[in-house]
Amino acid sequence: MAKEGDVNHGDYVHDIENEASVDGNEEIGRYWSGLSERNTSHSKPLLVKRINTTSQIAIVGANLCPIESLDYEIFDNEIFKQEWRSRKKVDIIQYVILKWGFALLIGLGTGLVGFFNSFAVENIAGFKLLTTTSLMSQKRYAEAFLVYASLNTCLAAAAAALCAFIAPAAAGSGIPEVKAYLNGVDAHTILAPRTLFVKIFGSILGVSAGFVVGKEGPMVHTGACIASLLGQGGSRKYHLTCSWLRYFKNDRDRRDMITCGAAAGVAAAFRAPVGGVLFALEEAASWWRSALLWRTFFTTAVVGIVLRVAIEFCSTGKCGLFGAGGLILYDVNSANVTYGILDILAVVILGSFAGVLGSMYNYLVDKVVRTYSLINEKGAAFKISLVITVAFFTSCCYYFLPWVAKCIPCPSNVTVSCPSTAESGEYQSFQCPPGYYNDLASLFLNTNDDAIRNLFSPRITKEFHISSLFIYFFTIYCLGIITYGIAIPSGLFIPVILAGAGYGRLLGRIFEPFTKLDRGLFALLGAASFLGGTMRMTVSICVILLELTNDLLLLPLVMLVLLISKTVADNFNRGVYDQILKIKGLPYLEAHAEPYMKNLVTRDVVSGPLISFSGIEKVGTIWHALNSTGHNGFPVIDEPPFSDAPELCGLVLRSHLLVLLKEKTFSNERRLADQDIFERISALDFGKAGSGKGIKVEDIDIQEEEMDMYVDLHPITNASPFTVVETMSLAKAAIIFRQHGLRHMCVVPKSQGRPPVVGILTRHDFMPEHVLGLYPNIDPHKWR
């Protein structure tokens, strides 16, 4: 028996029945259960047994992972070529118009959902805060706390119940899942209609419950879900399809649409159209092209127009507590933004400390999420109980901490009412007498947006005590950590901005004797530095913050603080979304290969047995292979008399084989298929199934007499699969695999006289856990 990593690559299986004479208890491979892929892992050694009586392969003890890869590669077979040749010019024009039409619909849908989220949160949270403030003004403090805490826990329990019972995939921000999908990972249910429903309403309930979470992060997932729903290409199951939607029944077009949806989500959340495009380019998408840039830009522009119209409508007072406003969320424009050497030095210090705090934030979030996952695995009751516990603890912090703050006399030169009379404002009276306000209550007993607005405001200079700012920063920092990971839709943008704004405003007070920068500007720089230290994004965060605040004069300082905080934080750990991807077990391919992969070649990670088919294969052989394995791709090898010597004809997908078997284009003789196969089968039959189910092996009825018949695989075989030689560097192969969005990569031998294909690489073969599992003596830190 060959050791792991030393499998005899010269052996390959192409005819299961011919190999049935092998002893029934002989092991011909091992199955690596750490990171397996149910449908693509040809290169994984499988623990299998040969069963003589049925001539089948049975997988023994395999722990198959349900996560699949997406088929982003253009499949070049005769059926698709015939379909393209038959297309008329009007079909091509129709296809282009439809793509732009769907971009328009994605922008409209995401913009309306973004407006609805803001409208609902402002009204629900506003009603809660108005009720609490009213009771406080009557000195009914105990009743005020009971009402405040009860409303928060009820809203939190409702959000948790939606996630626990309807769509568990809606929990969290969803950005890591969208990143994984655009990287080629098809995690189940992450873009399902029920996930969209729970994401919208769960986010509204969670934010209204007073959690240190934002609705902005989940909007990225929401936009992706809307795009996925529109990109289903209709549904044949519910008779909601027509011929002109068939073009979109493939993963490649859906990927483009979901990229537009992710950008639209950012644009709707932050009212930052350009920032949305850059976010999709920098953080979300793994694959980009100029045509996609234009459609993404168009989509976010539509979102901006929808929000502008909706805000103008609400400015007339028809939206309840969601009133006047504009596309600029936090207008911190200052009359005089000048800075010198001491100011820049203060910004450098601010960015450096933020990098350390951001990396610590990521480290603690990682530990908390791993701990919560153990609790959440116990069932829905534990999920909901955890959410209610965190909600009650947050309510206690928000209500009781302002009691430690001193009452401050209202400034005499303010243009707004002091104390504030609305549900939110810059000067909340809380327990203070008339003419005084509580600075901590002005931050805690407000919506998240209003708290950020108060911290960013240039009008408020010394109205926040240093002690109050420290308490607020420390509380938000800790609450943001313990809140992420509970079973509600929760974004990280707003918690990080809140903590960063408090941190920046605090350092602004400390540096007051040395710098002339406005304290509101320090809060903005603090938010930028925290975003850079946790999320490790630069360009998109910079533009989003500029669109949020309308302060272009701060561009150099924002760029500087982002670069410093990201550079410092990168020395400690990875970005928060990358860590969450790892926790969730999503096999995400990085843009760069691990350094130690340069010392390995592709044949070092390829292992057998490899199941392949002849160009004209027996129906029974295909049937047994599909029943006994979960592979999604099979090499097709032509042999004499159809070729002079065994040669690689191409690659055939499992889904395409199922279509061919279902149509039963069989023959009694081993010969090439007739031309009438193009009339019986069209490219539409190979369309990717939407939210409904595709063809399964169980759906096909093969009679016993049909098992010995033959079927020609050439019409459905991809004649131009991506291939690499077995001596190619594993690092180079990994980069090619990711850049082209592949699902399978064929490894071919370097020398003559061997089988034409050594094995198949899938994304799991490039995962560090798999490579280091095969070669445990490699020290990954040595090569960094």
Side-chain angles (χ1 to χ4, degrees):
M1 175 60 193
K3 296 181 180 179
E4 285 186 296
D6 296 324
V7 177
N8 182 3
H9 302 296
D11 298 332
Y12 70 102
V13 181
H14 70 274
D15 190 346
I16 299 176
E17 294 185 340
N18 291 341
E19 299 292 334
S21 59
V22 182
D23 180 62
N25 294 320
E26 180 185 1
E27 285 189 6
I28 60 172
R30 292 195 182 102
Y31 182 81
W32 175 71
S33 61
L35 271 177
S36 60
E37 188 179 21
R38 182 176 185 272
N39 60 322
T40 63
S41 50
H42 253 300
S43 56
K44 307 291 184 299
L46 296 176
L47 180 60
V48 302
K49 291 182 180 179
R50 298 294 186 184
I51 303 175
N52 296 334
T53 57
T54 60
S55 302
Q56 296 183 22
I57 297 178
I59 300 177
V60 180
N63 181 23
L64 297 175
C65 178
I67 296 176
E68 301 181 356
S69 292
L70 297 165
D71 293 299
Y72 286 153
E73 181 184 357
I74 296 178
F75 221 72
D76 185 18
N77 62 31
E78 290 300 324
I79 299 287
F80 282 91
K81 286 180 180 179
Q82 179 68 20
E83 198 270 340
W84 274 100
R85 284 192 292 264
S86 63
R87 280 191 183 184
K88 301 177 182 178
K89 189 174 182 179
V90 65
D91 295 324
I92 298 174
I93 296 174
Q94 188 181 60
Y95 172 66
V96 174
I97 293 175
L98 281 172
K99 286 201 293 187
W100 285 92
F102 277 125
L104 173 64
L105 292 176
I106 293 169
L108 288 172
T110 308
L112 290 173
V113 170
F115 164 72
F116 174 72
N117 280 3
S118 298
F119 164 79
V121 167
E122 291 291 333
N123 280 279
I124 297 174
F127 170 78
K128 176 189 69 178
L129 294 173
L130 273 177
T131 305
T132 305
T133 304
S134 175
L135 292 172
M136 290 290 295
S137 64
Q138 301 173 32
K139 300 188 183 302
R140 298 160 62 182
Y141 302 128
E143 292 181 40
F145 171 71
L146 289 175
V147 169
Y148 180 72
S150 299
L151 289 174
N152 281 345
T153 52
C154 288
L155 291 169
L162 287 175
C163 283
F165 295 113
I166 299 179
S173 71
I175 292 179
E177 288 84 351
V178 174
K179 281 188 61 175
Y181 184 94
L182 296 177
N183 189 256
V185 179
D186 187 13
H188 296 300
T189 72
I190 64 171
L191 299 175
R194 66 175 181 271
T195 304
L196 172 62
F197 172 81
V198 174
K199 204 73 180 183
I200 295 173
F201 291 97
S203 176
I204 292 171
L205 293 170
V207 176
S208 301
F211 284 115
V212 185
V213 298
K215 60 184 182 297
E216 285 74 10
M219 273 304 302
V220 176
H221 194 180
T222 300
C225 288
I226 292 173
S228 176
L229 189 62
L230 292 172
Q232 295 295 320
S235 172
R236 282 184 283 181
K237 179 180 178 181
Y238 298 106
H239 306 288
L240 296 176
T241 188
C242 53
S243 59
W244 47 271
L245 285 175
R246 68 184 184 274
Y247 304 128
F248 300 95
K249 284 187 173 291
N250 62 85
D251 289 327
R252 189 182 180 88
D253 281 317
R254 289 181 191 175
R255 173 188 60 187
D256 290 354
M257 294 178 66
I258 289 170
T259 303
C260 293
V266 174
F270 295 105
R271 306 178 193 176
V274 179
V277 177
L278 293 176
F279 174 85
L281 174 61
E282 180 181 7
E283 183 67 11
S286 298
W287 188 86
W288 200 263
R289 56 196 174 97
S290 58
L292 181 58
L293 175 65
W294 279 103
R295 285 205 304 279
T296 307
F297 187 77
F298 171 70
T299 305
T300 57
V302 172
V303 172
I305 294 171
V306 170
L307 291 177
R308 178 74 263 177
V309 172
I311 290 170
E312 286 295 330
F313 172 77
C314 287
S315 64
T316 60
K318 298 179 180 179
C319 297
L321 298 176
F322 183 67
L327 288 179
I328 308 303
L329 276 178
Y330 316 115
D331 194 349
V332 300
N333 195 18
S334 181
N336 184 21
V337 184
T338 58
Y339 40 87
I341 297 297
L342 289 178
D343 300 318
I344 295 177
L345 180 61
V347 170
V348 171
I349 295 173
L350 179 143
S352 300
F353 278 106
V356 176
L357 291 171
S359 62
M360 187 184 302
Y361 190 93
N362 291 0
Y363 173 80
L364 294 174
V365 164
D366 181 274
K367 299 302 179 185
V368 168
V369 171
R370 291 180 186 274
T371 303
Y372 284 173
S373 65
L374 300 176
I375 300 174
N376 292 333
E377 286 175 358
K378 296 181 179 180
F382 286 87
K383 290 182 180 180
I384 298 174
S385 299
L386 178 61
V387 171
I388 291 176
T389 302
V390 175
F392 183 77
F393 179 72
T394 303
S395 300
C396 291
C397 291
Y398 275 29
Y399 185 83
F400 290 113
L401 283 176
W403 288 88
V404 305
K406 296 180 179 179
C407 294
I408 305 173
C410 288
S412 57
N413 58 345
V414 295
T415 58
V416 296
S417 61
C418 181
S420 301
T421 57
E423 79 281 359
S424 60
E426 299 170 357
Y427 304 99
Q428 292 292 320
S429 62
F430 200 60
Q431 89 288 10
C432 296
Y436 289 79
Y437 73 97
N438 187 310
D439 58 348
L440 260 182
S442 301
L443 295 175
F444 280 125
L445 292 182
N446 258 327
T447 61
N448 291 336
D449 284 350
D450 285 322
I452 295 172
R453 191 173 290 108
N454 291 345
L455 289 168
F456 281 2
S457 175
R459 297 191 301 270
I460 307 176
T461 53
K462 297 183 180 180
E463 281 77 2
F464 293 115
H465 279 296
I466 292 181
S467 59
S468 298
L469 288 171
F470 178 80
I471 292 172
Y472 182 77
F473 161 67
F474 182 78
T475 304
I476 294 297
Y477 187 88
C478 295
L479 287 178
I481 292 170
I482 68 171
T483 303
Y484 195 83
I486 60 177
I488 63 168
S490 54
L492 279 172
F493 273 100
I494 291 301
V496 171
I497 292 176
L498 279 170
Y503 159 79
R505 190 113 190 173
L506 175 62
L507 261 63
R509 290 297 306 274
I510 295 174
F511 293 153
E512 192 172 6
F514 313 104
T515 177
K516 297 179 181 178
L517 286 179
D518 186 271
R519 307 304 163 252
L521 303 185
F522 257 107
L524 173 62
L525 293 175
S529 64
F530 254 62
L531 288 169
T534 55
M535 300 181 181
R536 315 295 163 83
M537 292 181 280
T538 52
V539 179
S540 56
I541 292 295
C542 183
V543 173
I544 287 172
L545 287 175
L546 292 179
E547 290 187 277
L548 273 175
T549 58
N550 195 31
D551 202 339
L552 191 60
L553 295 175
L554 275 180
L555 177 61
L557 291 181
V558 173
M559 294 173 65
L560 176 64
V561 80
L562 278 169
L563 290 171
I564 292 174
S565 61
K566 181 185 183 302
T567 302
V568 171
D570 280 339
N571 292 310
F572 296 97
N573 51 31
R574 305 174 68 184
V576 64
Y577 294 135
D578 294 326
Q579 291 186 169
I580 295 170
L581 279 169
K582 189 173 182 180
I583 294 172
K584 290 180 177 291
L586 297 172
Y588 184 85
L589 288 176
E590 298 289 348
H592 60 275
E594 296 293 335
Y596 57 82
M597 290 185 180
K598 296 178 181 178
N599 298 302
L600 298 172
V601 294
T602 55
R603 69 182 172 199
D604 291 333
V605 296
V606 169
S607 47
L610 177 66
I611 298 176
S612 62
F613 297 127
S614 297
I616 301 175
E617 189 58 88
K618 270 191 175 183
V619 174
T621 301
I622 300 173
W623 175 256
H624 293 318
L626 296 179
N627 267 293
S628 56
T629 69
H631 300 336
N632 187 73
F634 300 87
V636 176
I637 298 174
D638 270 340
E639 298 175 328
F642 299 98
S643 61
D644 296 333
E647 62 180 24
L648 178 63
C649 177
L651 192 77
V652 64
L653 293 183
R654 180 187 190 89
S655 58
H656 294 184
L657 286 170
L658 291 173
V659 172
L660 200 63
L661 292 181
K662 185 177 181 181
E663 293 296 329
K664 297 192 175 184
T665 57
F666 309 148
S667 63
N668 293 317
E669 300 177 3
R670 195 177 183 188
R671 58 181 177 80
L672 296 174
D674 298 327
Q675 289 296 315
D676 62 353
I677 190 174
F678 297 108
E679 299 177 1
R680 296 182 58 183
I681 302 177
S682 68
L684 180 59
D685 297 321
F686 298 103
K688 176 89 173 188
S691 56
K693 302 295 183 182
I695 304 176
K696 296 182 178 180
V697 180
E698 296 81 11
D699 301 331
I700 301 174
D701 181 25
I702 301 295
Q703 303 299 321
E704 187 67 30
E705 61 273 12
E706 294 175 327
M707 290 291 186
D708 293 326
M709 299 180 73
Y710 293 91
V711 59
D712 184 8
L713 301 183
H714 292 95
I716 64 169
T717 299
N718 181 11
S720 57
F722 279 84
T723 59
V724 295
V725 70
E726 61 182 344
T727 54
M728 176 181 283
S729 163
L730 187 62
K732 187 176 181 180
I735 294 173
I736 295 174
F737 193 95
R738 185 187 191 271
Q739 286 180 343
H740 291 279
L742 302 182
R743 186 172 188 175
H744 308 96
M745 177 181 281
C746 296
V747 181
V748 297
K750 186 176 181 179
S751 58
Q752 299 292 330
R754 297 171 57 191
V757 59
V758 172
I760 291 183
L761 293 176
T762 64
R763 68 172 49 243
H764 288 294
D765 294 298
F766 299 105
M767 292 291 108
E769 292 83 356
H770 174 51
V771 178
L772 296 177
L774 293 175
Y775 300 96
N777 295 327
I778 292 179
D779 183 5
H781 304 288
K782 178 181 178 181
W783 305 97
R784 294 189 181 278

